[in-house]
Structures are given as structure tokens and as C-alpha cells.
Amino acid sequence: MLNLERLRTLDALARHGSVSGAAEGLHITTSAVSQQLSKLEREVGQRLLAKNGRGVRLTDAGRLLAEHAARILSQVELAQSDLEAQRGQVVGELRLSAFPTAARGLFPQALAALREQHPALRLRSCELEPEHGIAGVVRGDLDLAVVLDWYNKPMALPEGLVKASILDDPAEVALPVDHRLAGRDEVDLGEFADDEWITWGDGEFCHEWLMFTLRSKGVEPIVGHRAAETHTQLALVAAGLGVCIAPLLGRHPVPDGVVTVPLRQRVRRHVYVVWRADADRRPSIRAAVKALRAAGEDVG
């Protein structure tokens, strides 16, 4: 009989591509990963791993067994979901991630409500950018991820994921109080051709969205500063160092020296939560989605 935990270790190695990545994903030591895989090799009587520089790679037998392991583990998760659904109890462990402003704007209320309503449910949360949260759900490291895309730039979801809308998050432009457009009722992005932008890190989804949107308005962006956190961006605006996009979620309090002005063409982020389809019937998933939606309704 193949040992399920050893198959889980092999699956983690195949998904993460390294012993250290598998250990981090499984929350065990690298030596424990190596021991589990050595035992699995003895069980099947074949080499599953081969040296590859300083790391390892899967042999043909290892890849074959890893493919079977992924299917077996998916069926096990489906069986666990069905059993949880039959009991109707919100129990076990739930691992969640959210991008920073959602972690600040949604998680305190939603996770506190879950803890109060379902004390037998263990919650673990972390901040991750949307693409990393989605990857974590696909790999099985996370049960749920709160992610986003923009009204004019949707994010493609991998096959096998399910999503539910949390809220549409309106975004404005944050300006220094003495900016030439600070007193306006609304502005157009095309009016910021000569301004320096404070934006997210290069390659991040929101940064790519901003570059795409400004260029679609005929503006070649001048990027002055980069910061992952909205509050850091707003602090730079308050210092007169540029302008930034300021979504409502997680924005408050706006620092002194900053005003936010609506855009003439309404700009919104779509905030939603994703999970694996084979976990769809888990009561804990449904309870978390309900709590996140309730927190989303209170935004603003």
C-alpha cells in the first residue's frame, strides 16, 4: 500500500520543484521531506529522484507517480469535503491569503466573525499578492485567496478554481493638497501626462494595469517611486513626491496633505475570493466566503 503522506510529499516536491519548497509548503523540515521520499522509494522499489546540480529532479518513475499522487490527493480532498458537507460542521483548518489592502480592509472583521461563530475552525492567514495567492491555491498550500483584477484588465484563472465576488472597489487619484487639480470634482487620467506616478513594484498586476491604462489614454507614464503598500504610497503623495491610484479598500485614514479626487471614467477593482473546485462543498469554505462578503458590504 502506498502511504498517503509520502504521496503528499512527492506531490509537494513536484509542485514546488525543490526539497526546500516542498518543506515550506508542507510546514515540515527539509530532512523530513528527504526521509519521506526515501521511504517512498523503498516502498515502490524504484528511484523517484535524481541529483540535478545542487538540487534534485524527478525521474521518469517519479513524474509518473507524482501525476498519480495529484489525482489521488484530489480525490481524498473531495472525499473530505463530502464528509464535512454531510456533517454540516465548520471544523478543521482553513488557510487564507489576501493582497495587502484586502488583508487590512477585510480580514480583521471576517476572521473575527469566523472565530466567534465557528470556534472549532482553526484559521491561518497571510498577505500575498494576487498571482501568488492564486498559485498557492493551485498548489494546495492555501484553501482560499482573496485576489483582484481591474474593470479593463481581467485576470485569467487556472482551470479547477472557483470564484465568488466580494465587492467592487472604487478607485480615485490621490493628490497633494496643493496640486493643480486638487480642487476638482473629477479628473481624467489623461490630465496627468506631466506628473510623476507612485506605483507598485515592477511586474505586479496592479502596476501593469496602471501602465496599460495610462498608455491607453495616450500618456507615457513617468514612474517616480514604487511602494507595495497603499499607506506608503499615500505618505509619498503627502510629501509632494507624486500622485497615485487610491482604491477605497484599506485606504483610510488618508494622511494630512492628501486629497482624493474621483475619475471621470469610473475605475473599479473587482475583489473576489478563489478556491479549488474539489473543495467546493466544504462548510468551512462556504462560511469563509459568507464572512468575507459580509465584510465587503461594510467597506466604505
Side-chain angles (χ1 to χ4, degrees), residues 64-241:
L64 178 63
L65 186 56
E67 291 172 1
H68 283 289
R71 290 191 290 270
I72 291 167
L73 293 170
S74 179
Q75 285 298 312
V76 169
E77 180 157 4
L78 185 58
Q80 291 172 335
S81 297
D82 286 344
L83 286 172
E84 280 189 34
Q86 188 178 52
R87 288 201 310 267
Q89 297 175 344
V90 181
V91 296
E93 181 178 87
L94 199 65
R95 301 158 299 171
L96 312 90
S97 77
F99 57 93
T101 51
R104 182 169 62 246
L106 297 175
F107 270 6
Q109 178 180 334
L111 301 188
L114 282 169
R115 186 174 64 178
E116 179 181 356
Q117 296 164 13
H118 308 288
L121 181 65
R122 298 186 305 276
L123 297 166
R124 287 171 41 202
S125 70
C126 63
E127 286 187 2
L128 286 175
E129 291 299 328
E131 55 270 32
H132 299 304
I134 288 172
V137 173
V138 170
R139 289 195 306 264
D141 299 336
L142 296 168
D143 299 302
L144 290 161
V146 179
V147 300
L148 66 89
D149 58 22
W150 293 84
Y151 74 103
N152 61 340
K153 194 173 178 63
M155 178 182 287
L157 286 183
E159 186 178 353
L161 296 189
V162 179
K163 71 176 183 178
S165 177
I166 301 299
L167 76 152
D168 278 351
D169 185 27
E172 300 177 337
V173 180
L175 314 170
V177 290
D178 58 355
H179 191 278
R180 68 187 186 283
L181 302 176
R184 294 269 294 274
D185 292 331
E186 59 181 18
V187 292
D188 188 276
L189 284 174
E191 297 179 87
F192 294 94
D194 298 324
D195 287 275
E196 286 193 41
W197 281 93
I198 300 161
T199 179
W200 297 267
D202 193 25
E204 289 189 17
F205 185 76
C206 288
H207 171 78
E208 296 303 321
W209 164 80
L210 181 59
M211 300 299 100
F212 166 80
T213 302
L214 288 170
R215 286 166 180 151
S216 72
K217 296 281 187 180
V219 174
E220 182 54 37
I222 304 170
V223 176
H225 306 277
R226 299 174 185 272
E229 270 281 1
T230 296
H231 280 188
T232 305
Q233 294 183 5
L234 291 173
L236 294 170
V237 173
L241 297 173

Side-chain angles (χ1 to χ4, degrees), residues 35-52:
Q35 290 170 14
Q36 291 278 44
L37 293 173
S38 294
K39 291 177 181 178
L40 185 58
E41 285 186 324
R42 290 197 294 271
E43 284 178 352
V44 301
Q46 296 188 63
R47 289 187 64 195
L48 303 176
L49 303 177
K51 288 189 178 297
N52 184 31

